[in-house]
Amino acid sequence: MTESRSGGPDAGSSPHPATALDDVVHQRVRLGILTVLSEATECRFATLRDELGLTDGNLNRHLRILEQAGLLQSTKGYEGRRPVTWLRLTRAGRTALRAEVAALEQLVSRIRTATAAADES
């Protein structure tokens, strides 16, 4: 890896880990949705809404984006007479979340390396 005048990595050496972040997944609310859904087989809409502190409309908008991207699946049904929406990650959703976490880990590692180098100088 070559160094720039500022002492940081040269932009031409290899792609920066930030380029691996997925715009669909990386958005704060959508990353939260995928993370919560990764912790369970299925999750009720109301549980997800409450866990993330969202309004119904806000959650619906983000769920639509994730569903269109093939990252989650929703199933509507009833518990007694009450309508319920169940949500779960698809295989593609789990893969996308793992890739996002790997990119974030690379960014953290890069920051720690740069911070350690700066502390030594």
Side-chain angles (χ1 to χ4, degrees), residues 44 77-84:
R44 294 172 65 202
Y78 290 89
E79 284 183 348
R81 292 184 170 187
R82 252 194 130 117
V84 176

Side-chain angles (χ1 to χ4, degrees), residues 102-120:
L104 290 168
E105 287 172 338
Q106 286 181 345
L107 283 169
V108 168
S109 175
R110 188 174 170 124
I111 291 167
R112 286 187 176 140
T113 300
T115 302
D119 288 347
E120 289 176 6

Side-chain angles (χ1 to χ4, degrees), residues 6-75:
S6 65
D10 187 357
S13 61
S14 64
H16 192 279
T19 63
L21 297 174
D22 182 323
D23 289 338
V24 172
V25 174
H26 190 71
Q27 196 281 340
R28 180 184 64 83
V29 171
R30 293 192 289 267
L31 184 58
I33 291 168
L34 294 175
T35 302
V36 170
L37 292 179
S38 75
E39 298 168 351
T41 305
E42 287 186 318
C43 183
R44 294 172 65 202
F45 178 95
T47 302
L48 186 59
R49 178 198 62 213
D50 296 345
E51 182 81 16
L52 296 174
L54 301 171
T55 64
D56 287 356
N58 194 303
L59 179 55
N60 264 322
R61 169 129 172 73
H62 290 290
L63 292 175
R64 212 171 315 123
I65 291 167
L66 292 169
E67 196 164 18
Q68 288 171 349
L71 303 182
L72 68 80
Q73 180 180 22
S74 66
T75 305

